[in-house]
Amino acid sequence: QVQLVESGGGLVQPGGSLRLSCAASGLTLDYYDIVYFRQAPGKEREGVSCIGSSNRRTHYADSVKGRFTISRDNAKNTVYLQMNSLKPEDTAVYYCAADRRPLCPALGGPRNSYDYWGQGTQVTVSS
């Protein structure tokens, strides 16, 4: 059974940091482009960052550039999103999505165009 399991969310004060993990079972993440999305209440889903499979290209939305870093650990079959200097407007449910197509640097597309999705993890930035 293929699963993407997300973890690492939580409550953090403005200016703080969190590291999200997207761990895979039943598939080798190294063969997939990975995109992180987020969705805040009442807002549309937003592509945040992506990392390519073969070329390891990374890309970031302007809203997180310079603060977030996406990376892979193939030995752990996991992709990470390091989030620093968090702001209240970063509050959202964060999702990772995997696809065999070479999508990155694209950060959009309908939900059903991706092969697999994680269950989401809540990030709340508040004092």
Side-chain angles (χ1 to χ4, degrees):
Q1 181 180 359
V2 173
Q3 278 189 310
L4 294 181
V5 179
E6 299 182 60
S7 60
L11 173 64
V12 64
Q13 292 186 341
S17 298
L18 286 173
R19 189 178 75 161
L20 305 184
S21 299
C22 176
S25 60
L27 77 161
T28 302
L29 273 188
D30 195 33
Y31 299 150
Y32 291 78
D33 277 31
I34 305 299
V35 183
Y36 260 99
F37 293 90
R38 66 185 181 187
Q39 189 162 21
K43 295 187 176 180
E44 292 189 356
R45 177 167 46 89
E46 174 190 14
V48 171
S49 180
C50 63
I51 185 166
S53 57
S54 59
N55 60 15
R56 297 294 190 264
R57 171 188 289 179
T58 60
H59 186 69
Y60 302 91
D62 288 343
S63 57
V64 306
K65 198 171 294 182
R67 301 187 297 122
F68 289 12
T69 303
I70 192 168
S71 62
R72 295 178 177 268
D73 185 334
N74 291 337
K76 294 184 178 180
N77 209 23
T78 299
V79 170
Y80 300 101
L81 184 68
Q82 177 67 44
M83 307 187 297
N84 298 328
S85 302
L86 283 162
K87 305 174 181 180
E89 51 264 43
D90 294 319
T91 296
V93 178
Y94 284 70
Y95 301 89
C96 62
D99 201 283
R100 285 297 298 261
R101 296 170 295 162
L103 298 174
C104 197
L107 293 176
R111 182 180 177 89
N112 60 8
S113 68
Y114 288 82
D115 292 336
Y116 304 105
W117 284 83
Q119 83 284 4
T121 186
Q122 176 70 47
V123 171
T124 303
V125 185
S126 175
S127 55

